[in-house]
Amino acid sequence: MNEGPVSGRPVELRHLRAFLAVADELNITRAAARLRLTQPAVSRTLAALEAHLGVRLVDRSTHHLALTPAGVAFRDRAAVAVAAFDEAVGPGRPGPRPLRLGHAWSAFGPYTTPLLRAWQERYPGTPLELLRIDDRTAGLTRGEVDAALLRGPVEAPGLVTEVLYTEVRVAAVTADGPLARRESLALADLAGGPVVLNPVSGTTTVELWPPHTRPTATLTVGNTDDWLTAIAAGRGSGVSTTSTAVLYPHAGVAYVPLDDAPGVPVLLARRDAPGHPALPRLAALAREIIARGALH
């Protein structure tokens, strides 16, 4: 069925879901596969939404799709709307609606297992799903999760964040390299060779180094797995937190303390809108788990 401009017709939920899939994938073909639709159907749906709004949401002028400034702003509003709809129809679904907790890497650090076990014991009627999503907000702004565990400052509109604790940074170096034999390192020790950065979901940028000692070269990757692989292969070193050292051990990577790097705050984030009814219980339990760990 042809889908032209939706003048006179309301925007439907499928228009928003199609746009969010495109905004996530930045590729019509992958968005269509995710939605189980044809590529032309997704293109028509997106065009219809843009026609209704009277703005261009996606820039198609380059080889790779990109969101326009209007598209970036609309993505957050669309994600909130879709999440609100899912919340509204949730009680009518068979079985309890799970509480989806996103993270880009390292989850809740050393508190991950205690949190999951305590939740299962106390609230068995509400499943807690831990989802790794390689995105700066772990899918929160796109409505894929109800809350997210994030690291470092997050500049995204429409989010409410709470600092739960702070993690210490460590250096990640090639296991058989000379830096791995050091008891501790400074940021300047890493600047002489390439530094592996993950701008998609990581917290390390070249601004972590003082201007006069910034890395001479960088290598960009898209997720934690590729970051580890690059370091293990001797293509560079990296900076992360102690949780990464605990949760992502790698035979080719050695984690060494960093003497002069500031800590990284771990945040519990949610959208600034009515959300899953179990969110207050999640926040309270997270605080309790941290306090309990600090006492031991």
Side-chain angles (χ1 to χ4, degrees):
M1 182 176 87
N2 289 333
E3 174 146 24
V6 289
S7 55
R9 289 185 291 168
V11 171
E12 300 175 9
L13 188 64
R14 61 192 176 88
H15 293 99
L16 302 184
R17 291 197 190 279
F19 166 69
L20 290 173
V22 172
D24 183 16
E25 301 291 346
L26 293 180
N27 181 284
I28 297 293
T29 300
R30 290 197 298 268
R34 174 171 157 180
L35 296 167
R36 298 182 180 179
L37 297 173
T38 65
Q39 180 177 337
V42 172
S43 296
R44 289 194 300 268
T45 303
L46 177 61
L49 176 62
E50 291 177 321
H52 179 89
L53 297 175
V55 295
R56 179 70 69 182
L57 300 174
V58 178
D59 182 3
R60 305 169 180 81
S61 62
T62 60
H63 180 67
H64 298 287
L65 296 184
L67 295 183
T68 65
V72 172
F74 184 71
R75 175 180 59 184
D76 297 324
R77 298 198 299 272
V80 169
V82 171
F85 173 84
D86 289 342
E87 173 66 23
V89 301
R93 296 175 180 172
R97 187 169 84 81
L99 175 59
R100 302 164 300 171
L101 180 60
H103 72 104
W105 46 278
S106 293
F108 203 22
Y111 306 110
T112 303
T113 298
L115 176 68
L116 295 176
R117 287 181 175 174
W119 184 271
Q120 175 62 27
E121 291 173 0
R122 295 191 190 181
Y123 312 113
T126 303
L128 178 60
E129 293 184 355
L130 189 62
L131 305 173
R132 176 181 161 184
I133 300 175
D134 286 310
D135 172 79
R136 190 65 191 92
T137 66
L140 186 58
T141 57
R142 301 197 300 265
E144 295 185 19
V145 295
D146 302 295
L149 292 162
L150 308 176
R151 283 169 172 78
V154 177
E155 298 179 0
L159 297 187
V160 176
T161 61
E162 173 186 353
V163 178
L164 297 175
Y165 67 101
T166 300
E167 290 183 338
V168 175
R169 275 190 166 101
V170 297
V173 299
T174 307
D176 58 357
L179 295 181
R181 296 190 290 270
R182 300 270 295 274
E183 292 187 0
S184 66
L185 295 168
L187 287 170
D189 295 322
L190 308 179
V195 171
V196 186
L197 303 176
N198 172 12
V200 176
S201 57
T203 60
T204 303
T205 67
V206 293
E207 282 72 30
L208 179 64
W209 282 259
H212 61 285
T213 60
R214 285 183 176 163
T216 57
T218 60
L219 173 66
T220 300
V221 297
N223 55 59
T224 301
D225 294 331
D226 291 345
W227 180 81
L228 289 167
T229 299
I231 295 171
R235 301 182 65 190
S237 58
V239 175
S240 191
T241 68
T242 50
S243 286
T244 305
V246 173
L247 299 178
Y248 294 93
H250 193 293
V253 177
Y255 295 100
V256 182
L258 270 176
D259 294 332
D260 58 349
V264 177
V266 178
L267 316 175
L268 179 63
R270 61 174 177 82
R271 287 181 293 275
D272 188 12
H276 196 291
L279 282 174
R281 287 179 289 177
L282 175 66
L285 183 57
R287 296 185 209 107
E288 179 186 326
I289 294 293
I290 293 170
R292 186 191 307 165
L295 296 175
H296 289 81

